[in-house]
Coordinates of all heavy atoms in Angstrom, one line a residue:
M1 N 77.1 128.2 71.5 CA 78.3 128.3 70.6 C 79.5 128.1 71.4 O 79.7 128.8 72.5 CB 78.2 129.7 70.1 CG 79.2 130.1 69.3 SD 79.0 131.6 68.2 CE 77.8 132.6 69.0
T2 N 80.5 127.4 71.1 CA 81.7 127.2 71.7 C 82.7 128.4 71.3 O 82.9 128.5 70.2 CB 82.4 125.8 71.4 OG1 81.3 124.8 71.7 CG2 83.6 125.6 72.3
E3 N 83.3 128.9 72.3 CA 84.3 129.9 72.0 C 85.6 129.3 72.1 O 85.9 128.7 73.2 CB 84.0 131.2 72.8 CG 82.7 131.7 72.6 CD 82.4 132.9 73.4 OE1 83.1 133.3 74.2 OE2 81.2 133.3 73.4
P4 N 86.6 129.7 71.3 CA 88.0 129.2 71.6 C 88.6 129.9 72.7 O 88.4 131.1 73.0 CB 88.7 129.7 70.2 CG 87.9 130.8 69.8 CD 86.5 130.6 70.2
T5 N 89.3 129.1 73.4 CA 90.2 129.4 74.5 C 91.6 129.1 74.3 O 91.7 128.1 73.4 CB 89.7 128.8 75.9 OG1 89.7 127.4 75.8 CG2 88.2 129.2 76.1
P6 N 92.5 129.6 74.9 CA 94.0 129.2 74.7 C 94.1 127.8 74.9 O 94.8 127.1 74.1 CB 94.7 129.9 75.7 CG 93.9 131.2 76.2 CD 92.5 130.6 76.0
S7 N 93.4 127.1 75.7 CA 93.6 125.7 75.9 C 92.9 124.8 74.9 O 93.3 123.7 74.7 CB 93.1 125.2 77.3 OG 91.7 125.5 77.5
S8 N 91.8 125.3 74.3 CA 91.2 124.6 73.3 C 91.6 125.0 71.8 O 91.1 124.3 70.9 CB 89.6 124.7 73.4 OG 89.2 126.1 73.1
S9 N 92.3 126.1 71.7 CA 92.9 126.4 70.4 C 93.9 125.4 69.9 O 94.9 125.2 70.6 CB 93.4 127.8 70.3 OG 92.4 128.7 70.3
T10 N 93.6 124.8 68.9 CA 94.5 123.8 68.4 C 94.7 124.1 66.8 O 93.9 124.9 66.2 CB 94.0 122.5 68.3 OG1 92.7 122.3 67.8 CG2 93.9 121.9 69.8
P11 N 95.8 123.7 66.1 CA 96.0 123.9 64.8 C 94.9 123.4 64.0 O 94.2 122.4 64.3 CB 97.4 123.2 64.5 CG 98.1 123.0 65.9 CD 96.9 123.0 66.8
A12 N 94.6 124.0 62.9 CA 93.6 123.5 62.0 C 93.9 122.1 61.5 O 92.9 121.4 61.3 CB 93.4 124.5 60.8
D13 N 95.2 121.8 61.4 CA 95.4 120.4 61.0 C 94.9 119.4 61.9 O 94.9 118.3 61.5 CB 96.9 120.3 60.8 CG 97.5 121.3 59.6 OD1 96.6 121.5 58.8 OD2 98.7 121.6 59.6
A14 N 94.6 119.9 63.1 CA 94.1 118.8 64.1 C 92.7 118.6 63.9 O 92.1 117.6 64.3 CB 94.2 119.4 65.5
A15 N 92.0 119.3 63.0 CA 90.5 119.1 62.7 C 90.4 117.9 61.8 O 91.3 117.6 61.0 CB 90.0 120.2 62.1
P16 N 89.5 116.9 62.0 CA 89.2 115.9 61.1 C 89.1 116.2 59.7 O 88.5 117.3 59.4 CB 87.9 115.2 61.7 CG 87.7 115.7 63.0 CD 88.4 117.1 63.0
A17 N 89.7 115.5 58.8 CA 89.6 115.8 57.5 C 88.3 115.7 56.9 O 87.9 116.3 55.9 CB 90.6 114.8 56.7
D18 N 87.4 114.9 57.5 CA 86.0 114.6 56.9 C 85.0 115.5 57.7 O 83.8 115.3 57.5 CB 85.6 113.1 57.1 CG 85.7 112.7 58.6 OD1 86.1 113.3 59.4 OD2 85.1 111.6 58.8
R19 N 85.5 116.5 58.3 CA 84.7 117.5 59.1 C 83.7 118.2 58.0 O 84.4 118.7 57.1 CB 85.5 118.4 59.8 CG 84.7 119.3 60.8 CD 85.8 120.2 61.5 NE 85.1 121.0 62.4 CZ 85.7 121.8 63.3 NH1 87.0 121.9 63.2 NH2 84.8 122.5 64.1
P20 N 82.5 118.3 58.3 CA 81.6 119.1 57.2 C 82.0 120.4 57.1 O 82.4 121.1 58.0 CB 80.3 118.9 57.9 CG 80.3 117.9 58.9 CD 81.7 117.8 59.5
F21 N 81.8 120.8 55.9 CA 82.1 122.3 55.5 C 81.4 123.3 56.5 O 82.0 124.2 57.0 CB 81.6 122.7 54.0 CG 81.9 124.0 53.6 CD1 83.0 124.4 53.1 CD2 80.8 124.9 53.6 CE1 83.3 125.8 52.8 CE2 81.0 126.2 53.2 CZ 82.2 126.7 52.8
D22 N 80.1 123.1 56.6 CA 79.3 124.0 57.5 C 79.8 124.1 58.8 O 79.7 125.2 59.6 CB 77.8 123.6 57.3 CG 77.2 123.8 56.1 OD1 77.6 124.5 55.3 OD2 76.2 123.1 55.8
E23 N 80.2 123.0 59.5 CA 80.7 122.9 60.8 C 82.1 123.7 60.8 O 82.3 124.4 61.9 CB 80.9 121.5 61.2 CG 81.4 121.3 62.6 CD 81.7 119.9 62.9 OE1 80.7 119.0 62.7 OE2 82.6 119.5 63.7
T24 N 82.9 123.5 59.8 CA 84.1 124.2 59.8 C 84.0 125.7 59.7 O 84.7 126.4 60.4 CB 85.0 123.7 58.7 OG1 85.2 122.2 58.8 CG2 86.5 124.3 58.6
M25 N 83.1 126.2 58.9 CA 82.9 127.5 58.7 C 82.1 128.1 59.9 O 82.5 129.3 60.3 CB 81.8 127.8 57.4 CG 82.5 127.8 56.1 SD 83.8 129.1 56.0 CE 83.0 130.6 56.4
G26 N 81.3 127.3 60.7 CA 80.8 127.8 61.9 C 81.8 128.0 62.9 O 81.6 129.0 63.7
E27 N 82.9 127.2 63.0 CA 83.9 127.5 63.9 C 84.7 128.7 63.5 O 85.1 129.6 64.4 CB 84.9 126.2 64.0 CG 86.0 126.5 64.9 CD 87.0 125.4 65.2 OE1 86.7 124.2 64.6 OE2 87.9 125.6 65.9
V28 N 84.9 128.9 62.2 CA 85.6 130.3 61.8 C 84.8 131.4 62.2 O 85.3 132.4 62.8 CB 85.8 130.2 60.2 CG1 86.2 131.4 59.7 CG2 86.8 129.1 59.8
E29 N 83.5 131.3 62.0 CA 82.6 132.5 62.5 C 82.7 132.7 64.1 O 82.8 133.8 64.5 CB 81.2 132.2 62.0 CG 81.0 132.3 60.5 CD 79.7 131.7 60.0 OE1 78.8 131.3 60.9 OE2 79.5 131.7 58.8
S30 N 82.8 131.7 64.7 CA 82.8 131.7 66.2 C 84.1 132.3 66.6 O 84.1 133.1 67.6 CB 82.6 130.3 66.8 OG 82.9 130.3 68.2
I31 N 85.2 132.0 65.9 CA 86.4 132.5 66.2 C 86.5 134.1 65.9 O 87.0 134.9 66.7 CB 87.5 131.9 65.4 CG1 87.7 130.4 65.9 CG2 88.9 132.5 65.5 CD1 88.6 129.5 65.1
I32 N 86.0 134.4 64.8 CA 85.9 135.7 64.4 C 85.2 136.7 65.5 O 85.6 137.7 65.8 CB 85.3 135.9 63.0 CG1 86.3 135.4 62.0 CG2 85.0 137.4 62.6 CD1 85.8 135.2 60.5
E33 N 84.0 136.1 65.8 CA 83.3 136.8 66.8 C 84.0 137.0 68.1 O 83.9 138.1 68.8 CB 81.8 136.0 67.1 CG 80.9 136.1 66.0 CD 79.7 135.0 66.2 OE1 79.6 134.6 67.4 OE2 78.9 134.9 65.3
S34 N 84.8 136.0 68.6 CA 85.6 136.0 69.7 C 86.6 137.1 69.6 O 86.8 137.9 70.6 CB 86.1 134.7 70.0 OG 85.2 133.8 70.4
I35 N 87.2 137.1 68.5 CA 88.3 138.2 68.2 C 87.6 139.6 68.3 O 88.1 140.4 69.0 CB 89.0 137.9 66.9 CG1 89.8 136.6 67.2 CG2 89.9 139.0 66.7 CD1 90.5 136.0 65.8
E36 N 86.6 139.8 67.5 CA 86.0 141.0 67.4 C 85.3 141.5 68.6 O 85.2 142.7 68.9 CB 85.0 141.0 66.2 CG 85.5 140.9 64.8 CD 84.4 140.9 63.8 OE1 83.3 140.6 64.1 OE2 84.8 141.0 62.6
S37 N 84.9 140.6 69.5 CA 84.3 141.0 70.8 C 85.3 141.6 71.9 O 84.9 142.2 72.6 CB 83.5 139.9 71.4 OG 84.5 139.0 72.0
G38 N 86.6 141.3 71.6 CA 87.7 141.8 72.4 C 87.8 140.9 73.7 O 88.5 141.3 74.6
E39 N 87.1 139.8 73.8 CA 87.2 138.8 74.9 C 88.5 138.1 75.0 O 88.8 137.6 76.0 CB 86.0 138.0 74.9 CG 86.0 137.0 73.8 CD 84.8 136.0 73.7 OE1 83.6 136.7 73.6 OE2 84.8 134.9 73.8
L40 N 89.2 138.1 73.8 CA 90.6 137.5 73.9 C 91.7 138.5 74.0 O 91.6 139.6 73.4 CB 90.8 136.6 72.7 CG 89.8 135.6 72.4 CD1 90.1 134.9 71.0 CD2 89.7 134.5 73.5
G41 N 92.7 138.2 74.7 CA 94.0 139.0 74.8 C 94.7 139.0 73.4 O 94.3 138.2 72.4
L42 N 95.7 139.8 73.2 CA 96.4 139.9 71.9 C 96.9 138.6 71.5 O 96.8 138.0 70.4 CB 97.5 140.9 72.0 CG 98.4 141.1 70.8 CD1 97.6 141.5 69.7 CD2 99.6 142.0 71.0
E43 N 97.7 137.9 72.4 CA 98.3 136.7 72.1 C 97.3 135.5 71.7 O 97.3 134.8 70.7 CB 99.2 136.1 73.2 CG 100.4 137.0 73.5 CD 100.1 138.1 74.3 OE1 99.0 138.2 74.9 OE2 100.9 139.0 74.4
D44 N 96.1 135.6 72.4 CA 95.1 134.6 72.2 C 94.4 134.9 70.9 O 94.0 134.0 70.1 CB 94.0 134.4 73.2 CG 94.7 133.8 74.6 OD1 95.7 133.1 74.4 OD2 94.3 134.1 75.8
S45 N 94.2 136.2 70.6 CA 93.7 136.6 69.3 C 94.4 136.1 68.2 O 93.9 135.6 67.1 CB 93.4 138.2 69.3 OG 92.4 138.6 70.2
I46 N 95.7 136.3 68.3 CA 96.6 135.8 67.2 C 96.6 134.3 67.0 O 96.5 133.9 65.8 CB 98.1 136.3 67.4 CG1 98.1 137.7 67.4 CG2 99.1 135.6 66.5 CD1 99.5 138.3 67.9
K47 N 96.5 133.5 68.1 CA 96.4 132.1 68.0 C 95.1 131.7 67.4 O 95.1 130.8 66.4 CB 96.5 131.5 69.4 CG 98.0 131.4 69.9 CD 97.9 130.9 71.3 CE 99.2 131.0 72.0 NZ 99.3 130.5 73.4
A48 N 94.0 132.4 67.7 CA 92.7 132.2 67.2 C 92.7 132.5 65.8 O 92.1 131.8 64.9 CB 91.7 132.9 68.0
Y49 N 93.3 133.6 65.4 CA 93.3 134.1 63.9 C 94.0 133.0 63.1 O 93.6 132.7 62.0 CB 94.1 135.4 63.9 CG 93.9 136.1 62.5 CD1 92.8 136.6 61.9 CD2 95.1 135.8 61.7 CE1 92.9 137.1 60.7 CE2 95.2 136.4 60.5 CZ 94.0 137.0 59.8 OH 94.1 137.5 58.6
E50 N 95.1 132.5 63.7 CA 95.9 131.5 63.0 C 95.1 130.3 62.8 O 95.1 129.7 61.7 CB 97.2 131.2 63.8 CG 98.0 130.2 63.0 CD 99.3 130.0 63.8 OE1 99.3 130.1 65.1 OE2 100.4 129.6 63.2
R51 N 94.4 129.8 63.7 CA 93.4 128.7 63.6 C 92.4 129.0 62.6 O 92.1 128.0 61.7 CB 92.8 128.2 64.9 CG 91.7 127.3 64.8 CD 91.6 126.3 66.0 NE 90.6 125.3 65.7 CZ 90.7 124.2 65.1 NH1 92.0 123.9 64.5 NH2 89.8 123.4 65.0
A52 N 91.8 130.1 62.5 CA 90.7 130.5 61.6 C 91.3 130.5 60.1 O 90.7 130.0 59.3 CB 90.1 131.8 62.0
A53 N 92.6 130.9 60.0 CA 93.2 131.0 58.7 C 93.3 129.5 58.2 O 93.1 129.4 57.1 CB 94.5 131.8 58.8
G54 N 93.8 128.7 59.1 CA 93.9 127.2 58.7 C 92.7 126.7 58.2 O 92.6 125.9 57.3
L55 N 91.6 127.0 59.1 CA 90.3 126.4 58.7 C 89.8 126.9 57.4 O 89.1 126.2 56.7 CB 89.2 126.7 59.9 CG 89.5 126.0 61.2 CD1 88.6 126.5 62.4 CD2 89.4 124.5 61.1
M56 N 89.9 128.2 57.2 CA 89.6 128.8 55.9 C 90.2 128.1 54.7 O 89.6 128.0 53.7 CB 89.8 130.4 55.9 CG 88.8 131.1 56.8 SD 87.2 130.9 56.3 CE 87.2 131.6 54.7
K57 N 91.5 127.8 54.9 CA 92.3 127.1 53.8 C 91.6 125.7 53.6 O 91.4 125.3 52.4 CB 93.8 127.0 54.3 CG 94.6 126.3 53.2 CD 96.0 126.3 53.7 CE 96.9 125.5 52.7 NZ 98.3 125.6 52.9
K58 N 91.2 125.1 54.6 CA 90.5 123.8 54.5 C 89.2 123.9 53.7 O 88.8 123.2 52.9 CB 90.2 123.1 55.8 CG 91.5 122.5 56.4 CD 91.1 121.8 57.8 CE 92.2 121.0 58.3 NZ 92.7 120.0 57.6
C59 N 88.5 125.1 54.1 CA 87.2 125.3 53.4 C 87.4 125.6 52.0 O 86.6 125.2 51.1 CB 86.5 126.5 54.1 SG 85.8 126.2 55.7
R60 N 88.4 126.4 51.6 CA 88.7 126.7 50.1 C 89.0 125.4 49.4 O 88.6 125.2 48.3 CB 89.9 127.6 50.1 CG 89.4 129.1 50.3 CD 90.5 130.1 49.9 NE 91.7 129.9 50.6 CZ 92.1 130.5 51.8 NH1 91.3 131.3 52.4 NH2 93.2 130.2 52.4
T61 N 89.7 124.5 50.1 CA 90.1 123.2 49.5 C 88.7 122.3 49.3 O 88.6 121.8 48.3 CB 91.0 122.4 50.4 OG1 92.2 123.1 50.5 CG2 91.4 120.9 49.8
M62 N 87.8 122.4 50.3 CA 86.5 121.6 50.0 C 85.8 122.4 49.0 O 85.1 121.5 48.2 CB 85.7 121.7 51.4 CG 86.4 120.8 52.5 SD 85.2 120.6 53.9 CE 86.1 121.7 55.1
L63 N 85.7 123.6 48.9 CA 85.0 124.3 47.9 C 85.5 124.0 46.4 O 84.8 123.7 45.5 CB 84.9 125.9 48.0 CG 84.1 126.3 49.2 CD1 84.1 127.8 49.4 CD2 82.5 126.0 48.8
H64 N 86.8 123.9 46.3 CA 87.4 123.5 45.1 C 87.1 122.2 44.6 O 86.7 121.9 43.4 CB 88.9 123.7 45.1 CG 89.7 123.5 43.9 ND1 89.5 124.3 42.7 CD2 90.5 122.5 43.6 CE1 90.3 123.7 41.7 NE2 90.9 122.6 42.2
A65 N 87.1 121.2 45.7 CA 86.9 119.9 45.3 C 85.2 119.7 44.9 O 85.0 119.1 43.9 CB 87.1 119.0 46.6
A66 N 84.5 120.5 45.6 CA 83.0 120.6 45.2 C 82.9 121.1 43.7 O 82.0 120.6 42.9 CB 82.2 121.4 46.2
E67 N 83.6 122.2 43.4 CA 83.5 122.7 42.0 C 83.8 121.8 41.0 O 83.3 121.6 40.0 CB 84.3 124.0 41.9 CG 83.9 125.3 42.8 CD 84.8 126.4 42.7 OE1 86.0 126.2 42.4 OE2 84.4 127.5 43.2
L68 N 85.0 121.1 41.4 CA 85.5 120.1 40.3 C 84.4 119.0 40.3 O 84.3 118.3 39.1 CB 86.8 119.3 40.8 CG 88.0 120.4 40.8 CD1 89.1 119.7 41.4 CD2 88.3 120.8 39.4
K69 N 83.7 118.5 41.3 CA 82.8 117.5 41.1 C 81.5 118.0 40.4 O 81.0 117.3 39.6 CB 82.2 117.1 42.6 CG 81.3 116.1 42.7 CD 81.9 114.7 42.3 CE 81.0 113.5 42.3 NZ 81.6 112.2 41.8
V70 N 81.1 119.2 40.5 CA 80.0 119.8 39.8 C 80.4 119.8 38.3 O 79.5 119.4 37.4 CB 79.6 121.2 40.3 CG1 78.7 121.8 39.2 CG2 79.0 121.0 41.7
E71 N 81.6 120.1 38.0 CA 82.0 120.2 36.6 C 82.0 118.8 36.0 O 81.7 118.6 34.8 CB 83.5 120.8 36.5 CG 83.5 122.3 36.8 CD 84.9 122.9 36.9 OE1 85.9 122.1 36.4 OE2 85.1 124.2 37.1
E72 N 82.5 117.8 36.9 CA 82.5 116.4 36.3 C 81.1 115.9 36.0 O 80.8 115.3 35.0 CB 83.2 115.5 37.4 CG 83.2 114.2 37.1 CD 83.8 113.4 38.3 OE1 84.9 113.8 38.7 OE2 83.3 112.3 38.6
I73 N 80.1 116.4 37.0 CA 78.7 115.9 36.8 C 78.1 116.6 35.5 O 77.5 115.9 34.6 CB 77.9 116.2 38.1 CG1 78.3 115.4 39.2 CG2 76.4 116.1 37.7 CD1 77.8 115.8 40.6
N74 N 78.5 117.8 35.3 CA 78.0 118.5 34.1 C 78.6 118.0 32.8 O 77.8 117.9 31.9 CB 78.4 120.0 34.3 CG 77.4 120.8 35.2 OD1 76.2 120.4 35.6 ND2 77.9 121.9 35.7
A75 N 79.8 117.6 32.9 CA 80.4 117.0 31.7 C 79.6 115.5 31.4 O 79.4 115.3 30.2 CB 81.8 116.7 31.9
L76 N 79.3 115.0 32.4 CA 78.7 113.7 32.2 C 77.3 113.9 31.6 O 76.8 113.3 30.7 CB 78.5 112.9 33.5 CG 79.8 112.3 34.0 CD1 79.4 111.7 35.4 CD2 80.3 111.1 33.1
L77 N 76.5 115.0 32.1 CA 75.3 115.3 31.5 C 75.3 115.7 30.1 O 74.4 115.4 29.4 CB 74.7 116.4 32.4 CG 74.2 116.1 33.8 CD1 73.7 117.2 34.5 CD2 73.0 115.0 33.8
R78 N 76.4 116.5 29.8 CA 76.6 116.9 28.3 C 76.8 115.7 27.5 O 76.2 115.6 26.3 CB 77.7 117.9 28.2 CG 77.3 119.3 28.7 CD 78.4 120.4 28.3 NE 79.7 120.0 28.9 CZ 80.1 120.4 30.1 NH1 79.4 121.1 30.8 NH2 81.5 120.1 30.6
D79 N 77.6 114.9 27.9 CA 77.8 113.6 27.1 C 76.6 112.8 27.0 O 76.4 112.3 25.8 CB 79.0 112.8 27.8 CG 80.3 113.3 27.8 OD1 80.6 114.2 27.1 OD2 81.1 112.9 28.6
D80 N 75.8 112.6 27.9 CA 74.6 111.9 27.9 C 73.7 112.7 26.9 O 73.0 112.0 26.1 CB 73.9 111.7 29.2 CG 74.6 110.7 30.1 OD1 75.4 110.0 29.7 OD2 74.3 110.7 31.4
Q81 N 73.5 113.8 27.0 CA 72.8 114.6 26.2 C 73.2 114.5 24.7 O 72.3 114.4 23.8 CB 72.6 116.1 26.5 CG 71.6 116.9 25.7 CD 71.7 118.4 26.1 OE1 72.5 118.8 26.9 NE2 70.6 119.1 25.8
D82 N 74.4 114.5 24.4 CA 74.9 114.6 23.1 C 74.7 113.1 22.5 O 74.3 112.9 21.3 CB 76.4 114.7 23.0 CG 76.8 116.1 23.3 OD1 75.9 117.1 23.1 OD2 78.1 116.6 23.5
Q83 N 74.7 112.0 23.3 CA 74.5 110.6 22.8 C 73.0 110.5 22.6 O 72.5 109.8 21.6 CB 75.0 109.6 23.9 CG 76.4 109.6 24.0 CD 76.9 108.6 25.0 OE1 76.1 107.9 25.7 NE2 78.2 108.5 25.3
A84 N 72.2 111.1 23.3 CA 70.6 111.1 23.2 C 70.2 111.9 22.0 O 69.2 111.5 21.3 CB 70.0 111.5 24.4
D85 N 70.9 112.9 21.6 CA 70.5 113.8 20.4 C 71.7 114.1 19.6 O 72.3 115.1 19.7 CB 69.8 115.2 21.2 CG 69.3 116.0 20.0 OD1 69.2 115.5 18.9 OD2 68.9 117.2 20.4
P86 N 71.9 113.2 18.7 CA 73.2 113.3 17.8 C 73.1 114.6 17.0 O 74.1 115.0 16.4 CB 73.2 112.1 17.0 CG 71.9 111.4 17.2 CD 71.3 111.9 18.4
M87 N 71.9 115.2 16.9 CA 71.9 116.4 15.9 C 72.4 117.5 16.6 O 72.6 118.6 15.9 CB 70.3 116.6 15.6 CG 69.7 115.5 14.8 SD 70.4 115.3 13.2 CE 69.9 116.7 12.4
T88 N 72.6 117.6 17.8 CA 73.2 118.7 18.6 C 74.7 118.8 18.4 O 75.3 119.9 18.8 CB 72.8 118.7 20.0 OG1 73.5 117.6 20.7 CG2 71.4 118.7 20.4
K89 N 75.4 117.7 17.9 CA 76.9 117.8 17.7 C 77.1 118.6 16.5 O 76.4 118.6 15.4 CB 77.4 116.4 17.5 CG 77.3 115.6 18.7 CD 78.0 114.2 18.5 CE 78.0 113.4 19.8 NZ 78.6 112.3 19.5
D90 N 78.2 119.5 16.5 CA 78.6 120.2 15.5 C 79.8 119.6 14.7 O 80.6 118.9 15.0 CB 79.0 121.6 15.8 CG 77.9 122.5 16.3 OD1 76.7 122.1 15.8 OD2 78.0 123.4 17.3

């Protein structure tokens, strides 16, 4: 598990946009563990917290996009079902 250090802490915007959700959350968890363990000083903890907050924002954006995709798929399924069974329409 890679732990953030002052030299490796970069803004969340530096993370690739196509980075997988699980990998991004893994980094957030690693940052939280580092902060909670007390291994970082105050300034480094604040920098790490700022990076984690940016990564969480990216995760929320990814989750929202996934929710929209699921809603879109469900709408397609409902449309297909309505076309296959015209008696279900009111």
Side-chain angles (χ1 to χ4, degrees):
M1 172 166 34
T2 305
E3 297 175 8
T5 61
S7 61
S8 69
S9 285
T10 55
D13 293 339
D18 60 349
R19 185 175 186 184
F21 176 84
D22 293 337
E23 184 179 315
T24 304
M25 280 302 299
E27 184 176 350
V28 170
E29 291 170 0
S30 176
I31 291 170
I32 291 169
E33 289 173 9
S34 295
I35 293 170
E36 289 179 344
S37 74
E39 65 189 57
L40 301 175
L42 178 61
E43 292 81 13
D44 290 339
S45 291
I46 292 170
K47 288 177 187 175
Y49 183 82
E50 183 177 27
R51 173 147 177 86
L55 291 170
M56 287 298 300
K57 184 176 180 181
K58 286 185 177 286
C59 287
R60 282 192 298 272
T61 299
M62 286 187 263
L63 284 173
H64 181 69
E67 288 172 349
L68 292 176
K69 184 66 175 177
V70 168
E71 288 174 9
E72 181 181 309
I73 293 168
N74 285 337
L76 289 172
L77 290 172
R78 281 191 302 272
D79 289 346
D80 287 346
Q81 185 178 15
D82 288 345
Q83 289 176 5
D85 187 8
M87 297 299 292
T88 60
K89 290 185 180 181
D90 291 331

